[in-house]
Each structure stands twice: as C-alpha cells, then as structure tokens.
Amino acid sequence: MRDQEPAPHGPERRLSTKETAELLGVKPETVYAYVSRGQLSSRREPGGRGSTFDAAEVDALARRHRRESQVTQAVGAEMSVRTGVTLIDQDRYYFRGVDAAELAALHSYEEVAEWLWTGRLSPGVTFTAPEATAEVARRAVAALPEHAEPTDRLRVAAVAAATEDPLRFDLSEEAVLATARILIPTLVAALPPRPHARDEGPLALRLWGRLTGREPDEASLRALDTALALLVDHDLAASTLAVRVAASARAHVYAAVSAGLGVIEGPLHGAASGLAHRLLLDVLDEGSAVPVIAAELRAGRRIPGLGHRLYPGEDPRARALFALLEHVPRAEPALLAARDIVATTARHTPLHANVDLALAVLTVACGMPATAGETVFAVARTAGWIAHALEEYGERPLRMRPSGHYVGPRPPQPAPQ
C-alpha cells in the first residue's frame, strides 16, 4: 500500500473505506485491491483505526468506471475489458509487462503461473494436490466412457474437485490462489496414466505421463514445460471471456474454470492443434504437403496452424517453441513437414506458422495422440483463467452483462393458438 501526503494547498476531504466502497459500488476488500494496483492512494490518520481516501481521487475513479461501463454498452460484442494480465502488441505479448516468451524461456510453468497471479516469482515452486482431492477427481473421470475427450475429463475433474472443497465459495484472493495451486495438479492427476507416468515432480513431468507412454528426455520435457508456460494466457480469448463472465456473476473458481473448458472445444480455439496434428500426419504419409493442402482447399477447409489475427507477422509463441523443437529427438520429420505446409501455402497466401502448428510438431514427435495439444492448452490456460477470475472478483458484480439488440417481431403480437 502506498501512502500519500496531503496536498499543500487547502484541506482535502477524506473518505472512510466504507464510504469509498459505497461510492464505487464494490466491497471494502476491492477498495484495497485498487490501492495495490495503484488506482487509489490511502492514508492512515493519526489515532485512526482504518485507512482514508482522497474524495476527489475516489470520485475520479468512479467517473472512469461509469465511462467504461457506457463504452462497454455502446460497443456490445466488441467490448473492452480493463486488465493488467496480458498485453499483445506488435507481434509480441507480455505478462504483467514482462515479455512472455522470455519468461517462458527462463522459468517453469508453475513459476510463470505464480507471476501471472501475484506479480512475484516463486523460484522452484511446484503445485501439488491433496491425495483426497485427486482421488475424488480420478474416480469421477474413471466413470466416463472410454471414448471421452480430454476436455470432458478435465471438466468432470474440476466439478469433482469442487465438491471436495467446502471453502470453494470464498472468493478472497488468498483462498482463490490456494484453490488454483490445488486445482491445476488435480486436473493432471485425474487424466488416465500411461506407462512411465509419475505423480511427483514438476507439473510438465506429471502431464507427460498422461500424454505418451515414452520415457521423457530432457529436451522434450523442456519443450512441453515451455509450451505450457507460453500458453498460460493470451488476453481475452473466447474461453477467457467466458471465465470472466462467470466470475462477474461470482461463480466460484472451479465453476469459472469449467466455463473456460466448455469453450475451448471449438475447432477455432483449443482444438485447433489437433487439426494441425492430423494435417502433419497426412503430410508425413504422403511425403509432400502439395496433395494434402490441395485436398483441404478443395474441401473448402482452412489450413490449420497458419496465421493469427492478433499477429500480422510471426506468432511469438510458435517462434519460441520451434526453436526448442530443433533439439527434440525424432522431431525432424515433423518439423520438415511443418515447413513444407508453410511453404506450400505461401504460394497462394503467405502466412506464418502459429502456435497450433508448433504444438502439433511437439505432439507428433513425442508419440502423443491428436488430442494431446488440446490437453496441453487446457491445463496451461487454466492458470490464465484463474488470473482473470481474480481480477474480475475485484470488479463490480455482474458488469459483464451487455444488453441485447432485439430484432424480432414488434409487440404486441397475438398469442399463438
């Protein structure tokens, strides 16, 4: 909390925490969240038991919130949401102001997640789940049909974990962070293990044993851990917006994560790497991208793994992951196939490879199924969803509620007979 001396010119009106919260339409805890973010300054009066706030500063913040609310209503589907988590700018992206690709290169997935949540690094941190929670999630997932998709399993695991947590409705920052550090490893522990699976060590190592039966090598494991860190967050993607809507309604964090998991199944979001995986296999089978690309275009399908509307140039996530894949054993055929796809498509439309294609190279090279990329994406993005839920819990409730633009028959209409 930063203190501020009174202005030298004339007396200033000070407000209590309760008065400030009422003027802003938020809970008292949210007032202190604004202080920690630098949006408000506070001061303790001599002999006083609580903090006080400059009335003019509070009024300015309330006016800004009203303006933003009006803008949100005006722009409808193109609404803008204030966030301090991720910035995407000029073919680079940043987590709390730090280059995300650099963070992922220097730190583990868990360390990047902690940075996203708290703005602090926790070197060597490892997320673990209580055995009771993990077992409840495992039993729930085991009851699903064998053909259940990874996101089906993850959603069921999240719901099962929620039932084991009597404190899930505590939305304080401390409680939400405690839940986050348990929920993510629970999701991994609930996935069916393969040969050589481990239940200890870094999260990437535990996830590896749920995606492939191969023994992990150092280069492949580093690529998987970096992929998780690179995919932690990407601003207000569709799934993240769903999470913030749920958090705006004060759904607990398990429910908010479930909302995100429900959205990523779309082929234009979390499932895109699976389409790129199958495309790579087709190119490897054919020995050339030419007939495969021709067949895709003839069928009217877009080529997965290419281009990104937020990056006119190269996707920085793909660039970082491809650099690591150069050192992964048995990755060369998939890398050459990916380059062939990019070069063949560039004859008509020059597009860069995106992270879905890089993730597909990783899953093909490591003997993982086509659905593995979606699993990596979902586990990774859970940390980002929780960061956004934390932000939204500090905002005015139910603000994520655009008005519908009615285009149906004008009333009154006769009742149907």
Side-chain angles (χ1 to χ4, degrees):
M1 185 182 298
R2 63 184 176 89
D3 294 333
Q4 181 172 308
E5 294 300 322
H9 56 281
E12 60 176 344
R13 189 163 69 91
R14 308 292 298 179
L15 301 175
S16 68
T17 302
K18 183 173 184 258
E19 291 170 327
T20 300
E22 288 174 351
L23 279 171
L24 294 173
V26 299
K27 295 185 295 185
E29 304 91 84
T30 305
V31 173
Y32 290 103
Y34 289 146
V35 173
S36 67
R37 296 174 198 157
Q39 295 175 277
L40 280 179
S41 58
S42 67
R43 189 177 74 211
R44 281 189 177 274
E45 301 294 346
R49 288 187 295 178
S51 298
T52 64
F53 304 85
D54 183 342
E57 198 176 60
V58 172
D59 183 58
L61 182 59
R63 286 199 310 269
R64 189 161 71 247
H65 283 187
R66 285 195 293 271
R67 284 196 302 271
E68 288 168 354
S69 177
Q70 290 166 0
V71 168
T72 297
Q73 293 174 10
V75 298
E78 297 295 326
M79 65 182 176
S80 174
V81 177
R82 185 176 61 251
T83 176
V85 178
T86 300
L87 170 68
I88 299 174
D89 183 46
Q90 296 183 351
D91 291 338
R92 297 176 73 182
Y93 71 126
Y94 305 85
F95 294 155
R96 298 198 179 279
V98 177
D99 186 285
E102 290 182 17
L103 266 178
L106 296 171
H107 299 284
S108 71
Y109 166 70
E110 291 100 319
E111 290 169 346
V112 173
E114 287 285 348
W115 172 259
L116 211 65
W117 295 336
T118 67
R120 298 186 299 274
L121 280 175
S122 300
V125 64
T126 301
F127 299 155
T128 56
E131 182 54 33
T133 303
E135 184 56 30
V136 165
R138 286 192 199 102
R139 288 201 305 269
V141 169
L144 292 172
E146 193 173 324
H147 61 264
E149 295 291 334
T151 44
D152 297 327
R153 294 188 170 102
L154 293 172
R155 280 202 305 272
V156 167
V159 172
T163 65
E164 183 67 12
D165 185 0
L167 303 180
R168 62 187 178 275
F169 295 104
D170 184 349
L171 303 185
S172 66
E173 181 175 347
E174 182 181 6
V176 170
L177 288 176
T179 296
R181 296 175 185 122
I182 290 173
L183 175 56
I184 294 175
T186 297
L187 296 179
V188 173
L191 295 170
R194 293 170 179 259
H196 313 298
R198 295 173 173 85
D199 290 317
E200 296 179 348
L203 193 89
L205 177 62
R206 283 172 275 160
L207 181 59
W208 175 276
R210 268 74 183 174
L211 300 176
T212 179
R214 292 183 185 174
E215 277 280 11
D217 59 89
E218 185 178 346
S220 299
L221 200 58
R222 186 187 174 202
L224 176 59
D225 186 49
T226 302
L228 288 165
L230 290 167
L231 292 167
V232 161
D233 191 56
H234 207 232
D235 195 30
L236 286 182
S239 57
T240 306
L241 182 58
V243 169
R244 292 198 76 129
V245 170
S248 177
R250 296 304 182 256
H252 57 69
V253 72
Y254 299 93
V257 167
S258 295
L261 288 168
V263 173
I264 66 166
E265 284 200 271
L268 302 182
H269 198 11
S273 66
L275 300 177
H277 179 110
R278 295 182 181 93
L279 184 73
L280 274 178
L281 292 181
D282 289 344
V283 172
L284 289 169
D285 286 343
E286 291 284 348
S288 169
V290 173
V292 177
I293 298 300
E296 291 292 306
L297 294 176
R298 184 176 186 179
R301 293 188 290 264
R302 65 186 295 273
I303 308 303
L306 299 178
H308 196 291
R309 70 183 187 89
L310 296 181
Y311 299 116
E314 192 174 5
D315 183 338
R317 303 168 299 173
R319 181 171 59 244
L321 193 50
F322 275 126
L324 291 177
L325 288 166
E326 296 282 351
H327 306 286
V328 169
R330 293 181 280 196
E332 186 177 8
L335 279 168
L336 291 173
R339 291 176 187 138
D340 195 8
I341 290 169
V342 173
T344 300
T345 309
R347 299 178 191 177
H348 176 64
T349 306
L351 292 173
H352 292 282
N354 63 33
V355 74
D356 298 315
L357 188 58
L359 195 54
V361 171
L362 174 66
T363 56
V364 168
C366 296
M368 298 175 182
T371 56
E374 185 175 354
T375 306
V376 173
F377 182 95
V379 171
R381 192 57 58 88
T382 299
W385 292 336
I386 292 169
H388 282 274
L390 271 170
E391 276 198 335
E392 198 57 43
Y393 290 146
E395 299 291 349
R396 176 174 51 82
L398 294 174
R399 71 186 185 120
M400 309 288 286
R401 203 320 191 163
S403 298
H405 178 61
Y406 180 73
V407 295
R410 298 304 303 172
Q413 295 287 323
Q417 299 297 318

